[in-house]
Each structure stands twice: as C-alpha cells, then as structure tokens.
Amino acid sequence: MRDKRFIAEHRGGPLKKEQHYQLITWACDCSDHVLYLFGEKIDERLKKALHVAKEWRQGNASVGDARKASLGAI
C-alpha cells in the first residue's frame, strides 16, 4: 500500500495539488543534483522517469505515464 502522506487529497491523501507539485519538483531537483554520481553511464529508465516526472509537473504527462515511467515500463 502506498504511503498516504504522499498521495494527493483528491485520492484520499493529505496533499493538496500544489503540495504534490512542490514534492515532485523537490524530488526532481534532488535527483538532478546527484545524477552525476552515477557516472557517464546512467540507466535510461532513470532518465526517462525523471523526464516524465518533470513533464507531469508541467501538465504534459498523465499520472499513468508517471507510474509507468517509475516502473521502467515506458
């Protein structure tokens, strides 16, 4: 079961939509700061997941796209 602290209010969790966007922005920023530690060969699934997360934040990807990307299915 997913942790309800990180689920949007309209899905039964405590996060308002703007807080959800702030959380994904923070997570992407953190990832960008440490990505270089992976070296030159970064798994394409990770790059794709980060790209889709940023697209979701801007309204250009669906929640389904984000879920698939986080599982490496895209």
Side-chain angles (χ1 to χ4, degrees):
M1 173 146 200
R2 294 188 320 193
D3 191 329
K4 291 226 181 225
R5 292 175 299 171
F6 306 115
I7 299 174
E9 193 174 60
H10 68 279
R11 298 269 187 207
L15 291 180
K16 300 203 179 320
K17 196 172 207 173
E18 187 53 40
Q19 292 171 317
H20 212 185
Y21 289 148
Q22 289 172 341
L23 182 61
I24 198 67
T25 300
W26 171 82
C28 289
D29 288 347
C30 287
S31 299
D32 286 340
H33 285 292
V34 299
L35 208 53
Y36 76 94
L37 295 172
F38 284 89
E40 292 184 27
K41 185 65 175 153
I42 299 171
D43 191 323
E44 290 300 316
R45 294 174 295 179
L46 177 56
K47 288 181 184 178
K48 184 67 172 175
L50 288 170
H51 173 73
V52 172
K54 291 173 185 176
E55 290 292 310
W56 175 82
R57 170 58 183 101
Q58 303 217 350
N60 298 326
S62 69
V63 171
D65 293 337
R67 277 197 195 124
K68 288 177 191 171
S70 71
L71 299 172
I74 289 183

